[in-house]
Amino acid sequence: MELYILIAACVLFAGASVTVFLKDVHMFQLNSYGVGTHMKWMMKNFSSVIYNIFALIFLGMSLFSDFVRQDSGKHILILHAIFAAVFAVLIFANRRRKKAKTPLVFTARVKRMLVTYLILALICIALAFVLPLLGVKGLSYAVLLGFYALSPFMLFLANLINAPIEAAVRNYYLKDAKRILRDCPDLKIIGITGSYGKTSMKHFLTAILKQRYNVLMTPKNYNTPMGVTITVRGYLRGYHEIFVCEMGAKKKGEIKELCDIVHPCDGIVTSIGPQHLESFKSMENIISTKMALADEVKGGKAFLNIDNEYIAKEKREGAVTYGTVEGADYRGKVISVSKKGTEFSVTYPDGREYVFHTCLLGAHNVQNICGAVAIADSYGVAPDEIADGIASIKAIPHRLELIEKGGLTVIDDAYNSNPAGAKAALDALSYFEDYKILVTPGMVELGEKEEELNAAFGAQAAAVCDFVVLVGEKRAVPIKRGLIEAGYPEDKIFVAGSIGDAMNKVYSLTTDKKKVVLLENDLPDNY
């Protein structure tokens, strides 16, 4: 009977191990497979390891189970049954309780890691059967429970074991992508980077350039070395004339790494700000990393947004500037903003001026479109083609996307948030004459300045919003402080435990005006 219970326990152990692996590797993936980043996340999220502590308690019981073995066989069977039940409980406890905002992607890397993790688990199962045969009693369940209790570190071990394989795979794909690009000597490559605005710029520029050229752009958020490599190997075709390549970075030097892969002909720096300050460590690192693109376009042109104070200070000789400030080579000027969109003009370096219209909300979009106009003009796209391209631009999902839903006007800016973007979103909200409601958990990845910048965001919201719903008790503290210090009435602030509770509060508010709701940021699953 003991053997049958041990077999059942091992089956349940395998199920519990896979269940916790999928949860752990999901967070590991969201943390960009960074061991240090994931360790910090584990320290901040104690609840993520609470069941591992639960397993450690039973591990102690298992280690002392030899004392019970001198008792009757009935008691031994009960002890075995308890250990088997523990794994069943762990499977249930770690089940997915809600749909993930960003689901786990079963990439080849994740699959390889799962195989290695399962091999480690099978070694533990084998030990559980072999140890009693060798006369070592009382350790079968200790081995299984120990593996589970240390599962986050077993994930790291699987990642470490696979490191040489991952490096070899990565190098092979990178070399292949570089080979493909070398085989396209006439392909024009435009790199885009910035702390924010790069995805919008990518879409705007592609929409305009498509009026004359066959254009490929990096899809979705494929802005890492492997994302760009996947784009080149999977999407680039011989008929493409221009490759618009979004370049993201979370650490110093990563833009230079991307430039070494694609060798951009021209580059655009949309913005520089304290985005990902936690991983960059300093503004100096962010500035040098982003401006590396301007230095790498040898023989081409760098296009710089001089509305941004950091870029204006770092302006490179020979660069083409754009923005809404005086002195920009391509200067945009907002004419009018309404629910129907934005009308604006762009003055070219030679004094020509053209009026354009976009359905997009907010004057801040004029900056990025102005930059896209500058590049398109350098590529010979005529003003009427540029106008058609601008008119065709649609709102990017979750980036100031205007939606009518359930009797509400929703400005969905939930993709992410940063100080400049959050202020721009509040500016867009201010154009409405309706009852203005902000729903937000605040901004993240801002390092030591996170509380300060969220408090400033609260003060900015106080000047615009009729009601503010903050999501998350802890995350609400600095924003609420900023609101109150700006004189905002406390009875117009509500702190919700979840986005669902927040929206329930929004629907419950009574007002004679139509409600317009700004959804500013939606934190990923690892927050």
Side-chain angles (χ1 to χ4, degrees):
M1 181 62 73
E2 287 184 35
L3 178 62
Y4 292 125
I5 295 177
L6 179 58
I7 292 171
C10 287
V11 172
L12 290 168
F13 159 76
S17 297
V18 171
T19 303
V20 76
F21 170 84
L22 294 176
K23 186 177 74 171
D24 287 347
V25 80
H26 184 201
M27 295 301 107
F28 193 39
Q29 188 177 73
L30 290 175
N31 288 321
S32 302
Y33 301 109
V35 174
T37 303
H38 191 63
M39 288 284 285
K40 288 180 181 178
W41 176 85
M42 287 167 55
M43 292 173 66
K44 288 181 180 179
N45 294 269
F46 177 76
S47 61
S48 68
V49 295
I50 192 167
Y51 299 118
N52 301 74
I53 294 171
F54 174 70
L56 281 172
I57 294 170
F58 280 90
L59 172 60
M61 290 178 58
S62 177
L63 290 171
F64 286 103
S65 64
D66 265 340
F67 292 107
V68 184
R69 288 182 175 277
Q70 299 174 9
D71 206 341
S72 68
K74 180 181 178 182
H75 288 166
I76 293 172
L77 287 176
I78 291 172
L79 187 65
H80 277 274
I82 289 173
F83 287 134
V86 165
F87 292 116
V89 170
L90 289 171
I91 292 173
F92 179 78
N94 284 291
R95 74 195 189 283
R96 179 174 289 179
R97 292 175 174 79
K98 61 180 181 178
K99 185 178 180 181
K101 298 170 188 174
T102 305
L104 171 64
V105 180
F106 282 90
T107 61
R109 178 173 182 171
V110 169
K111 292 174 183 176
R112 287 190 290 267
M113 207 180 303
L114 175 58
V115 169
T116 305
Y117 185 90
L118 285 174
I119 291 171
L120 294 172
L122 287 172
I123 291 172
C124 288
I125 291 173
L127 284 172
F129 283 96
V130 170
L131 288 173
L133 296 175
L134 296 175
V136 183
K137 296 183 178 181
L139 289 182
S140 292
Y141 294 107
V143 169
L144 301 178
L145 285 162
F147 181 93
Y148 180 92
L150 298 173
S151 58
F153 301 98
M154 292 301 169
L155 175 69
F156 293 151
L157 179 58
N159 184 62
L160 180 63
I161 291 170
N162 286 3
I165 299 172
E166 298 305 329
V169 169
R170 175 187 171 92
N171 288 336
Y172 170 78
Y173 288 145
L174 284 174
K175 287 180 181 178
D176 192 48
K178 290 178 180 179
R179 177 193 60 78
I180 292 170
L181 290 171
R182 285 197 303 270
D183 290 342
C184 302
D186 296 327
L187 180 70
K188 299 295 184 182
I189 301 172
I190 303 173
I192 302 175
T193 194
S195 297
Y196 36 86
K198 54 186 176 291
T199 300
S200 297
M201 175 65 81
K202 172 181 71 176
H203 284 275
F204 299 168
L205 180 58
T206 299
I208 296 171
L209 290 176
K210 281 173 68 174
Q211 303 302 310
R212 175 166 290 200
Y213 299 100
N214 283 311
V215 184
L216 170 68
M217 72 174 183
T218 46
K220 302 178 184 178
N221 59 343
Y222 286 22
N223 59 13
T224 63
M226 286 312 295
V228 172
T229 297
I230 290 169
T231 303
V232 171
R233 296 182 73 246
Y235 297 88
L236 185 62
R237 299 292 180 266
Y239 54 77
H240 285 125
E241 299 169 283
I242 297 175
F243 175 29
V244 177
C245 181
E246 181 181 347
M247 298 179 168
K250 288 188 177 181
K251 294 180 181 178
K252 185 179 179 180
E254 289 185 338
I255 297 302
K256 175 66 167 62
E257 182 182 354
L258 284 162
C259 288
D260 289 341
I261 297 170
V262 300
H263 301 290
C265 306
D266 300 288
I268 316 161
V269 185
T270 62
S271 60
I272 293 176
Q275 184 80 323
H276 303 308
L277 190 55
E278 187 172 359
S279 54
F280 270 112
K281 307 301 182 184
S282 70
M283 277 304 304
E284 289 73 21
N285 288 340
I286 296 176
I287 293 168
S288 64
T289 297
K290 300 298 182 182
M291 292 304 295
L293 177 58
D295 298 324
E296 288 296 314
V297 289
K298 300 175 178 67
K301 295 179 181 177
F303 294 81
L304 306 178
N305 174 18
I306 61 168
D307 279 8
N308 181 275
E309 58 177 320
Y310 295 105
I311 296 176
K313 292 177 183 177
E314 296 288 328
K315 189 171 68 172
R316 299 298 196 260
E317 185 178 351
V320 178
T321 61
Y322 68 90
T324 59
V325 297
E326 188 174 348
D329 294 326
Y330 288 83
R331 186 183 182 189
K333 181 180 178 182
V334 177
I335 296 173
S336 65
V337 179
S338 69
K339 293 182 183 180
K340 294 181 179 179
T342 307
E343 189 173 11
F344 63 99
S345 65
V346 176
T347 303
Y348 284 39
D350 60 7
R352 289 176 295 155
E353 185 174 357
Y354 300 96
V355 176
F356 303 109
H357 182 272
T358 175
C359 67
L360 301 178
L361 283 176
H364 69 286
N365 280 312
V366 172
Q367 276 184 25
N368 280 329
I369 296 177
C370 188
V373 169
I375 298 165
D377 183 47
S378 74
Y379 275 70
V381 184
D384 59 332
E385 294 174 313
I386 291 175
D388 290 341
I390 293 172
S392 73
I393 296 171
K394 304 297 181 185
I396 303 168
H398 312 303
R399 289 176 171 87
L400 286 182
E401 182 182 14
L402 193 62
I403 303 168
E404 294 292 332
K405 185 176 181 180
L408 301 174
T409 297
V410 178
I411 303 173
D412 182 356
D413 198 39
Y415 181 77
N416 57 27
S417 189
N418 55 75
K423 184 180 183 304
L426 287 172
D427 289 342
L429 180 64
S430 70
Y431 298 132
F432 290 78
E433 297 179 358
D434 307 305
Y435 191 77
K436 295 178 280 292
I437 305 168
L438 170 66
V439 176
T440 184
M443 299 173 285
V444 296
E445 296 186 338
L446 298 174
E448 295 178 355
K449 291 192 173 184
E450 189 165 295
E451 286 201 14
E452 175 191 337
L453 292 170
N454 274 302
F457 175 43
Q460 292 163 357
V464 175
C465 305
D466 297 305
F467 200 92
V468 176
V469 181
L470 304 176
V471 183
E473 291 284 346
K474 292 182 180 179
R475 302 215 60 82
V477 173
I479 310 174
K480 187 175 181 179
R481 185 178 73 246
L483 284 160
I484 293 172
E485 288 177 355
Y488 198 76
E490 196 165 352
D491 62 346
K492 297 293 184 182
I493 305 171
F494 179 80
V495 179
S498 67
I499 188 64
D501 294 339
M503 293 310 297
N504 287 337
K505 180 62 178 180
V506 168
Y507 280 109
S508 71
L509 294 172
T510 56
T511 173
D512 294 334
K513 296 181 178 180
K514 184 176 180 179
K515 289 179 275 192
V516 57
V517 183
L518 170 61
L519 299 180
E520 183 60 22
N521 204 13
D522 184 13
L523 299 183
D525 300 278
N526 52 333
Y527 280 93

